[in-house]
Amino acid sequence: MNFEEFEELKTHFSGEAADLIPVLQKIQGAQGYLSPESIRRVSRWLRISENEIYGVATFFAQFRFQKPGRHVIKVCLGTACHVRGGEQILDVLKRRLNIEPGAVTADGLYQLERVACLGCCALAPVVSIDGKIYGQTSVLKIQELLDGGLHHDQP
Ligand code: FES
């Protein structure tokens, strides 16, 4: 979010401390995370210290402080997916990408997430990549998809 966009955002709020959470939600909605620069701007504008903003924001699981990866891979570990091998799929992805869930690879390409349920349990195990659902998947299919550079064909 650049300076002009931030100035525009400010016009929708009164500039009270109570605006903090909705302002952070707007920023995250616009840029996918809360950058250090955006936290600094909010701090100056709402006259709340950066430490306090981080303290409040980290309390809510919805806020991210790291730039999202170009590809977001969500592995479902809800009950149905868990019993059908979701954990093994997550393990393979962790090893392959060399990151833990919640993190982004150093090249910024992949972001790995574990989720509780993607809402299509009948297709377990389920993985979502950039919002696209891959059902009845397997370690092998996921590896093939990664080998292919994630061009989003059904694995
Ligand atoms: S448990 Fe995985 S989609 Fe519901």
Side-chain angles (χ1 to χ4, degrees), residues 72-82 86 89 113-137 142:
V72 180
I73 305 174
K74 294 180 180 174
V75 181
C76 182
L77 291 183
T79 308
C81 292
H82 181 78
I89 291 172
E113 300 290 340
R114 54 186 295 166
V115 293
C117 181
L118 285 164
C120 43
C121 314
L123 299 176
V126 178
V127 169
S128 127
I129 301 176
D130 298 335
K132 181 173 177 181
I133 294 290
Y134 293 91
Q136 294 174 335
T137 191
I142 291 297

Side-chain angles (χ1 to χ4, degrees), residues 55-73:
V56 170
T58 47
F59 181 76
F60 295 92
Q62 61 177 298
F63 293 119
R64 293 182 56 84
F65 301 95
Q66 197 178 12
K67 194 173 180 179
R70 208 164 113 208
H71 298 291
V72 180
I73 305 174

Side-chain angles (χ1 to χ4, degrees), residues 85-135:
E87 198 75 54
Q88 286 92 314
I89 291 172
L90 182 65
D91 281 345
V92 165
L93 283 162
K94 276 163 48 177
R95 274 200 305 275
R96 175 93 182 227
L97 302 174
N98 202 21
I99 52 171
E100 289 297 312
V104 176
T105 53
D107 59 7
L109 217 47
Y110 300 108
Q111 175 181 330
L112 184 60
E113 300 290 340
R114 54 186 295 166
V115 293
C117 181
L118 285 164
C120 43
C121 314
L123 299 176
V126 178
V127 169
S128 127
I129 301 176
D130 298 335
K132 181 173 177 181
I133 294 290
Y134 293 91

